[in-house]
Amino acid sequence: MLETFQKGDTVQMKKPHACGSNAWRITRVGADVKIQCLNCGRIVMLDRQDFMRAGKRILAHEEESSSI
């Protein structure tokens, strides 16, 4: 179960997508979470609670750019 995640993170879901991949990139975070499949590009929007239940782990965090 995922607890802390942010836009741009790459996450692994418990069940694979129809294309065979289970790696997704988070593109929107709010009451709903929008994710995009890294294999086929399909975009899916899930309720935040459903996303937290269906997520397995965070594979990579997006690097935050620091402006000086």
Side-chain angles (χ1 to χ4, degrees), residues 20-36:
S21 174
N22 61 355
W24 298 78
R25 175 164 291 119
I26 300 172
T27 58
R28 180 183 180 275
V29 176
D32 296 319
V33 178
K34 187 185 279 188
I35 55 178
Q36 183 174 14

Side-chain angles (χ1 to χ4, degrees), residues 34-52:
K34 187 185 279 188
I35 55 178
Q36 183 174 14
C37 180
L38 294 179
N39 188 36
C40 67
R42 179 75 162 179
I43 296 174
V44 177
M45 187 173 268
L46 298 169
D47 181 69
R48 187 180 191 98
Q49 189 174 19
D50 292 338
F51 173 76
M52 291 175 67

